[in-house]
Amino acid sequence: MGYRQLATRPVVGWGLVAVGARLPVAMAPLAFVFLVRERPGGSALGAGIAAVYVIGEVVGAAVLGPRLRPVRARGQLAGGLAIGACAFAALGLLPDAHPVVLGALAALAGAAPAAAPGGLRALLTAQLPEALAVTALSAESMLTNVVWAVAPALVGALALGLAPPLPLLLAAVLMAAATAGLWALPVGWPADAGDRRGASMGRTLAGAWPIYLTGAAAMALLALAELVLPALLEQRAIGVGWAGPLLAGYSVAAATGAVLYGARGTWPGSLRAQSLVLLLGVTGCVAFAATAGSLPWIAGALLVAGLLQSGVQVSRTLALREALPPSTHAAAYSVLYAVVGVGYAASAALAGAVQSAAPPSVAVLVGVGLTLLLVAASALGELRGRRPAERPGADPSLAEGGG
């Protein structure tokens, strides 16, 4: 199954809604920094507001995602996006508000629409045949990486070239447009709670914890690449200005990797094995970048890491679909989103703590060690768990590499 079969009006409409919902999320952290940077202690305040926003996302995804109801998911998603749009608009219109007010609005902007990534993914796959699942999720990964590649430049151009509040006002407009666009999508997706064989939603979701752990490990590596790279370049006597192009190259490579993963469709080994092997490859690339002494080697390592990272993302999502019954998929996507946020935050905190007492290269290597521990725990969990085909509602046809 090729990408041409995704070129339909419903899928294109879904893509526009997804961009409107996800670009504000990608813009938000940097937009908060620019919003308050002229204040005394603005950099620290901006980082604090961004941290509150991420916490809101994590809590919102974990709480709201499992509460999505397939038969009326569109209305729930629209409500969350509408509240998020209002919160972003308030942040843009009240740049001089008290820090507590800004923090509360940021938490609301993060939490209210946090079920949207999982819900939109469920809406995408529900309107396509199972044979297109790999292609569709690869296309979604490509779209996400493009959005994250564009967002920093867009925020910088608006905040520095025009006015600091503009990125947040644009985020509000985009999220409002996504809210309106949702009504062109299906009202929900078919789901039969009986496929859980009497198990509660929470217990069923908890059974996929090794997959969530690989998500946290993958995002921990991304945090290392994003947050420690400027200091690492400075340690190697390389211009810090290269950090932006290197991270943009990483995102472009990730988008390319997603296209390549979906183009082939079926890869050797089980989905979970693919995810773990690719994650080990990304880990090796990040460790190599930490020890490399010149710009070309660092750039090459990050490009290969990005290429492999998208395979980790897609195979992890497919493995989650394989491991859990269909009625839990949207909730599982949201739980994964929340765990990924925790992985990013934990790695960021660890890197910051280590950098206060050691060079940036050591901080990266310590983060790599944390990632390897998470990978090992996930692999042990997989070995102790049941075979995917034995899980309630699992589709045995996916067990050989993604349908």
Side-chain angles (χ1 to χ4, degrees), residues 318-393:
L318 289 166
L320 200 59
R321 287 167 54 85
E322 173 189 278
L324 297 173
S327 67
T328 67
H329 285 174
Y333 297 149
S334 292
V335 171
L336 179 61
Y337 187 76
V339 173
V340 159
V342 171
Y344 188 98
S347 182
L350 178 63
V354 174
Q355 282 189 92
S356 65
S361 57
V362 174
V364 174
L365 293 176
V366 170
V368 165
L370 170 65
T371 300
L372 291 175
L373 286 176
L374 294 176
V375 171
S378 177
L380 288 174
E382 296 286 0
L383 291 174
R384 294 180 60 185
R386 293 176 295 169
R387 291 173 57 85
E390 294 173 354
R391 294 187 182 276

Side-chain angles (χ1 to χ4, degrees), residues 164-175:
L166 274 184
L168 292 166
L169 294 175
L170 176 60
V173 171
L174 289 170
M175 200 162 272

